[in-house]
Amino acid sequence: HTWRVQAPVVAVVALGGVLGAFARYAALLLWPTPPGGFPWATFWTNVVGCAVMGVFMVVITEVWAAHRLVRPFFGTGVLGGFTTFSTYAVDIQRLTDAGHPRTGLAYLAGTLCAALAAVWIGATAARRVLRWRQS
């Protein structure tokens, strides 16, 4: 019984993860990072993913009674596969190991601040748009 309930969740997380990871990989191919350079593609992938998560969470918790598989598919799967904080950590280590500690530190702090701000801005903007549409 438990497997019948959990199998669809696992399936949609896996499918969403594939889609999100594919989108991230495409961004990294389109915007490669030169050795010792600031990893802009990973930075913006994480920031955009966080902003979308802020909007998404407002929509599915305050507006729309979503199907039980929407959050695991899109939130955990697509956005979890799209954002990449493991690559973020590896990028920081690569930058410092290659003799670019200032760039690594800027990337570390900049990504953290921008990602947190993006979630807040996404959620705040979504709430404002919803209030505007209701008035």
Side-chain angles (χ1 to χ4, degrees):
H1 173 64
T2 301
W3 178 243
R4 266 189 275 147
V5 172
Q6 293 302 319
V9 175
V10 171
V12 298
V13 168
L15 176 62
V18 166
L19 296 174
F22 179 75
R24 174 174 35 93
Y25 182 67
L28 295 173
L29 287 178
L30 291 171
W31 199 355
T33 302
F38 194 90
W40 287 108
T42 302
F43 174 84
W44 284 113
T45 296
N46 286 331
V47 172
V48 168
C50 287
V52 172
M53 181 57 79
V55 171
F56 176 66
M57 290 308 295
V58 167
V59 169
I60 67 166
T61 61
E62 299 176 19
V63 177
W64 178 41
H67 185 277
R68 74 179 189 92
L69 297 177
V70 170
R71 183 186 273 183
F73 170 74
F74 191 73
T76 305
V78 173
L79 292 176
F82 183 67
T83 58
T84 174
F85 287 94
S86 59
T87 300
Y88 161 69
V90 170
D91 286 342
I92 293 164
Q93 182 172 5
R94 283 186 184 153
L95 286 165
T96 56
D97 289 350
H100 303 281
R102 285 190 205 125
T103 304
L105 185 59
Y107 178 55
L108 184 148
T111 298
L112 178 61
C113 292
L116 290 172
V119 171
W120 182 81
I121 289 167
T124 301
R127 286 187 182 104
R128 286 186 181 174
V129 167
L130 291 170
R131 277 197 300 269
W132 174 74
R133 288 188 69 198
Q134 291 172 348
S135 59

